[in-house]
Amino acid sequence: MSCPQILPEPVDDIGSQPADPAAVARQRAADPSLDHDNPLEEVFEDQLLCADLVILNKSDLLSREQRQAVTAEIGRTLPRAVKVVEAENGQVPIAVLLGLGAKAESDLASRPSHHELEGEHDHDDFDTFIIDLPAFAAPQALVDRMVKAAEAHDVLRMKGFVEIEGKPMRLLVQGVGARIQHQFDRKWPADQARRGRLVVIGESGFDKDAIRALILG
């Protein structure tokens, strides 16, 4: 998972932002001694193009207008499904950065209710819900729906498992933005119903009903 950290403009020696960043940029542009075809800019853009998720750290050092401007600038390079998450002091819920780990992969019997899982995520900026999945005829059918949901809504991560018709093993699926991976991981327990579930993590206020409708078709 690629996740660049985006920092605000460099601060001066007293810890404040430049008085006029636009003026600084104009001065740099007018200075013939500076290399305007900066290879670091190309590296930065390459990192954004490879990113699954972008963390805008130290966002508290920026005004609302500056945060919007930075996000818009980054958004011109990012694929549509890749989201920008603001953070202060590097504090981002681990579930957003790394997914749900073993929780989404554990047996269904060990997760009897939605509230147990949702209780793990108490950050006000993010929300989690679970979609009960039916069996699918082929993996790509679910993958295509997950991509559409990620592109259309503020979905950060999706992870879960599903039954594929005619297959003895369950299909593990996980996605960051529109980058979806899937593989058959283990056989369904013979004494349990084959109930697929998909955990969806996103920014607070995202449209759960619309996402559920896209996934279920």
Side-chain angles (χ1 to χ4, degrees):
M1 188 268 288
S2 176
C3 186
Q5 175 177 268
I6 310 301
L7 301 175
E9 291 283 342
V11 298
D12 60 25
D13 57 357
I14 61 172
S16 62
Q17 293 294 118
D20 190 348
V24 173
R26 289 194 297 270
Q27 183 177 359
R28 286 177 55 83
D31 189 342
S33 66
L34 296 178
D35 180 7
H36 302 297
D37 189 15
N38 192 336
L40 289 179
E41 183 176 356
E42 295 180 2
V43 173
F44 177 70
E45 291 180 353
D46 287 344
Q47 289 181 331
L48 289 179
L49 290 172
C50 294
D52 301 313
L53 182 69
V54 175
I55 306 300
L56 179 61
N57 196 22
K58 299 186 179 180
S59 61
D60 54 312
L61 299 181
L62 300 175
S63 67
R64 180 179 179 182
E65 291 74 18
Q66 288 173 323
R67 291 197 302 270
Q68 291 174 341
V70 172
T71 301
E73 177 67 26
I74 296 170
R76 283 195 280 270
T77 301
L78 287 179
R80 180 179 177 184
V82 177
K83 303 300 187 289
V84 178
V85 174
E86 295 181 5
E88 299 178 9
N89 299 317
Q91 296 181 358
V92 182
I94 195 66
V96 173
L97 285 177
L98 302 179
L100 296 179
K103 293 180 182 178
E105 301 173 29
S106 59
D107 291 338
L108 293 172
S110 66
R111 297 288 177 261
S113 72
H114 293 188
H115 299 290
E116 287 184 18
L117 191 146
E118 291 177 357
E120 297 292 332
H121 313 291
D122 56 2
H123 198 291
D124 292 339
D125 294 335
F126 307 98
D127 200 0
T128 301
F129 72 104
I130 300 175
I131 301 174
D132 293 321
L133 298 175
F136 282 79
Q140 196 61 42
L142 176 58
V143 169
D144 289 344
R145 296 181 186 186
M146 292 173 66
V147 170
K148 289 181 180 179
E151 290 178 340
H153 299 280
D154 294 326
V155 175
L156 300 175
R157 287 186 173 275
M158 291 178 279
K159 190 168 186 179
F161 46 86
V162 65
E163 177 188 3
I164 301 299
E165 296 173 0
K167 301 295 184 180
M169 302 181 71
R170 70 181 194 177
L171 184 76
L172 175 69
V173 292
Q174 51 188 339
V176 181
R179 191 190 301 272
I180 311 297
Q181 297 178 328
H182 60 86
Q183 66 185 59
F184 290 102
D185 68 337
R186 63 173 180 258
K187 289 186 176 181
W188 290 95
D191 58 346
Q192 293 182 12
R194 298 185 176 188
R195 294 175 53 221
R197 304 178 84 185
L198 184 69
V199 178
V200 182
I201 303 175
E203 298 181 12
S204 294
F206 66 168
D207 194 334
K208 298 179 182 178
D209 291 338
I211 294 169
R212 183 178 284 106
L214 282 173
I215 296 296
L216 297 179

